[in-house]
Amino acid sequence: MTKRALITGITGQDGSYLAEHLLNLGYEVYGIVRRNSVTENQESRIEKLRGKINLTYGDLLDTSSIDKILKNSNPDEIYNLAAQSHVRVSYEIPQFTVQTNALGVVNLLEAVKMHCPNAKIYQASSSEMFGNSCDDDGMQRETTPMHPVSPYGCAKLFSYSLIRNYRNAFKLFASNGILFNHESPRRATNFVTTKIIKTAVQIKRGEMSHLELGNLDSQRDWGHSKDYVKAMHLILNHEKPDDFIISTGKTHSIRDFCKLIFSKLDMNYRDYVKVNKKFIRPEELSFLCGDSSKARKILGWKPEYTFESMVDEILEHFLKSL
Ligand code: F7E
């Protein structure tokens, strides 16, 4: 029988890749789109899927819309990817961030409990929940204490905990994927990887004079979104609900990322990169490096992209499209 999946946040980077992956696996795909006054480009990432997926306007904060969507789609699997996903912006709009990323998950879980308690739920949890905490070897694992350092991270920790609580208390099949940073050509250009690559290409073409960044010394464990959405599906198709770290286990600083991209374009990043305090966060998460051995062993997940092939794909995209 055809399985039905509901994706919140389907218009985003992960939502669009996940929709493609599930369609390829033969799923019937439903998605929730939030109303936006600027409709242009809002659905650009899922443009190619028009006619193949079922889209409905809705919002995690509008419980009546969630009730209706769950009743109409009667999903086997629900992927909750909807969120205010920008960490620095979460300092500018903390209340909206917490409402959507935390209260929104309560709304969803309550609606699932009422309308489709047998549906499996995936929650997009984040490495931002760890804050500056790590094990003695410098890595983060499922068992590493979590001490988030942003409104975004705090809200994500709330929803991560709620998923575990509803799993135990109400026997819902509710799982967390704790995803480390994951990028692609579909990443919005106010995240650091695509911001650096896009601006470096524009500088090379003489369209921009320099690149303004914040903290160059933080380090991130970057994978490819396409690999990470496959992990989401594996997590929900595991025999029991559980929590899994998804990461590459390799880390790079923002400075080294700049060095690499500018050198690929025959430039020296020192000549173009300037620090602007505007992009420095009130509290920074300095170092992320995830140990995903549990997912690799239990789910058989492993990334197909390397750091290099991920970077090259994004660079090629901007060289062609700009
Ligand atoms: O920042 C530094 C910044 O915004 C990465 C989200 O998907 O991954 C993402 O969160 C690093 C930080 O990602 C700029 O301070 C320097 O140290 O690309 P980012 P993020 O904050 O790590 C996690 C796992 C999520 O869950 C989130 O939803 O780069 N950085 N200069 C800068 N960052 C930005 N955005 N812009 C700068 O100019």
Side-chain angles (χ1 to χ4, degrees):
M1 217 170 68
T2 308
K3 279 200 199 173
R4 287 179 305 276
L6 172 66
I7 306 175
T8 74
I10 195 167
T11 57
Q13 167 188 257
D14 292 358
S16 61
Y17 281 126
L18 179 63
E20 286 167 18
H21 182 54
L22 294 177
L23 285 172
N24 286 338
L25 293 175
Y27 278 68
E28 206 173 294
V29 176
Y30 293 78
I32 300 179
V33 179
R34 211 153 50 87
R35 201 264 162 184
N36 187 331
S37 59
V38 186
T39 46
E40 287 75 19
N41 293 330
Q42 198 195 355
E43 291 169 25
S44 60
R45 296 182 179 103
I46 49 172
E47 203 62 58
K48 281 189 306 189
L49 307 182
R50 209 171 269 284
K52 297 184 191 156
I53 53 179
N54 308 281
L55 297 179
T56 320
Y57 278 117
D59 193 307
L60 289 181
L61 299 179
D62 182 325
T63 50
S64 66
S65 71
I66 302 301
D67 289 344
K68 258 185 272 168
I69 290 159
L70 289 182
K71 277 195 216 157
N72 290 342
S73 59
N74 189 21
D76 300 293
E77 296 172 15
I78 300 167
Y79 295 86
N80 184 34
L81 313 186
Q84 191 301 93
S85 65
H86 201 286
V87 176
R88 187 182 56 77
V89 173
S90 77
Y91 280 100
E92 288 173 32
I93 46 170
Q95 290 160 330
F96 174 75
T97 303
V98 171
Q99 280 174 15
T100 307
N101 299 6
L103 186 61
V105 181
V106 188
N107 293 345
L108 181 62
L109 284 169
E110 278 298 310
V112 169
K113 196 151 70 75
M114 198 178 310
H115 302 299
C116 48
N118 294 324
K120 299 176 176 183
I121 309 151
Y122 171 88
Q123 168 60 17
S125 285
S126 161
S127 52
E128 190 68 23
M129 298 185 307
F130 290 112
N132 284 308
S133 152
C134 61
D135 291 346
D136 289 344
D137 61 358
M139 297 190 86
Q140 289 91 11
R141 304 184 166 79
E142 288 83 358
T143 47
T144 307
M146 295 174 178
H147 300 296
V149 293
S150 61
Y152 171 85
C154 294
K156 282 285 179 181
L157 180 53
F158 174 92
S159 41
Y160 160 87
S161 309
L162 204 72
I163 286 283
R164 291 164 62 98
N165 173 226
Y166 272 53
R167 179 200 302 163
N168 296 327
F170 305 114
K171 308 296 167 225
L172 294 187
F173 193 113
S175 297
N176 285 294
I178 306 169
L179 270 51
F180 282 56
N181 296 53
H182 45 286
E183 317 296 310
S184 77
R186 295 187 194 172
R187 184 64 137 157
T189 53
N190 58 350
F191 290 93
V192 83
T193 52
T194 44
K195 179 176 173 181
I196 294 171
I197 296 177
K198 181 181 177 190
T199 315
V201 169
Q202 288 174 318
I203 293 172
K204 182 74 186 172
R205 300 210 167 137
E207 294 159 10
M208 293 280 279
S209 59
H210 63 277
L211 164 63
E212 289 187 358
L213 292 174
N215 182 5
L216 300 183
D217 296 316
S218 55
Q219 290 176 245
R220 290 292 183 269
D221 175 334
W222 281 296
H224 196 298
S225 170
K226 256 193 206 175
D227 282 331
Y228 285 31
V229 300
K230 290 180 187 160
M232 296 177 187
H233 176 255
L234 291 173
I235 289 172
L236 279 201
N237 284 275
H238 181 47
E239 63 198 21
K240 61 180 177 55
D242 202 349
D243 308 320
F244 294 92
I245 294 244
I246 303 299
S247 63
T248 70
K250 295 197 176 101
T251 191
H252 305 263
S253 70
I254 311 304
R255 189 183 302 282
D256 285 343
F257 196 89
C258 288
K259 207 186 271 182
L260 174 72
I261 301 304
F262 279 80
S263 71
K264 278 181 184 282
L265 296 167
D266 299 319
M267 298 185 287
N268 185 337
Y269 83 100
R270 287 174 197 279
D271 297 333
Y272 304 99
V273 174
K274 291 184 185 166
V275 172
N276 183 335
K277 277 203 263 178
K278 184 170 103 182
F279 299 113
I280 295 193
R281 298 168 184 193
E283 192 175 1
E284 176 66 280
L285 194 169
S286 307
F287 182 89
L288 282 174
C289 187
D291 177 357
S292 51
S293 25
K294 178 177 169 188
R296 291 175 195 241
K297 189 165 163 232
I298 297 182
L299 305 175
W301 175 81
K302 70 172 191 322
E304 283 167 30
Y305 280 85
T306 60
F307 175 73
E308 290 71 24
S309 61
M310 183 267 292
V311 164
D312 287 344
E313 187 185 291
I314 303 176
L315 182 58
E316 205 175 306
H317 165 80
F318 282 107
L319 282 169
K320 275 196 197 137
S321 67
L322 281 179

